[in-house]
Amino acid sequence: GILRTNLYEIGLKEGELDPSKEIRVRLRSRGVEINGVASNYRGGGHLQAAGATIYSKQEMLSLLNELDILVKKYKEEHPDAL
């Protein structure tokens, strides 16, 4: 299936969100500091390059929602950046 938010589209194969398995997430940015979001999901890293681990569709949607909020705030503060 496909999960969609305002800024992301993620394709998943059937069974990839098995709660008994971890899903490693890689986050990259060109301006938005994303390491704080990664730390909320058992991860961390650099300001604009970080990793996280999720275990469910709900965690994925929550992570994406947090990123949407960060990007929206960044765009408001830096209207010419994106």
Side-chain angles (χ1 to χ4, degrees), residues 12-25 42 52-60:
L12 295 171
K13 295 179 183 174
E14 193 65 35
E16 278 190 311
L17 284 175
D18 180 340
S20 66
K21 297 179 183 174
E22 67 180 27
I23 297 171
R24 301 287 300 153
V25 179
R42 295 168 289 281
T53 304
I54 59 173
Y55 290 91
S56 69
K57 180 178 179 179
Q58 182 57 44
E59 277 192 324
M60 177 183 291

Side-chain angles (χ1 to χ4, degrees), residues 2-63:
I2 295 179
L3 298 177
R4 289 188 176 94
T5 71
N6 291 338
L7 296 171
Y8 312 97
E9 181 175 295
I10 299 170
L12 295 171
K13 295 179 183 174
E14 193 65 35
E16 278 190 311
L17 284 175
D18 180 340
S20 66
K21 297 179 183 174
E22 67 180 27
I23 297 171
R24 301 287 300 153
V25 179
R26 290 179 289 180
L27 303 169
R28 301 292 180 265
S29 170
R30 291 185 183 155
V32 180
E33 294 181 7
I34 44 84
N35 64 335
V37 172
S39 69
N40 293 337
Y41 298 89
R42 295 168 289 281
H46 302 283
L47 291 178
Q48 297 171 336
T53 304
I54 59 173
Y55 290 91
S56 69
K57 180 178 179 179
Q58 182 57 44
E59 277 192 324
M60 177 183 291
L61 295 174
S62 179
L63 182 146

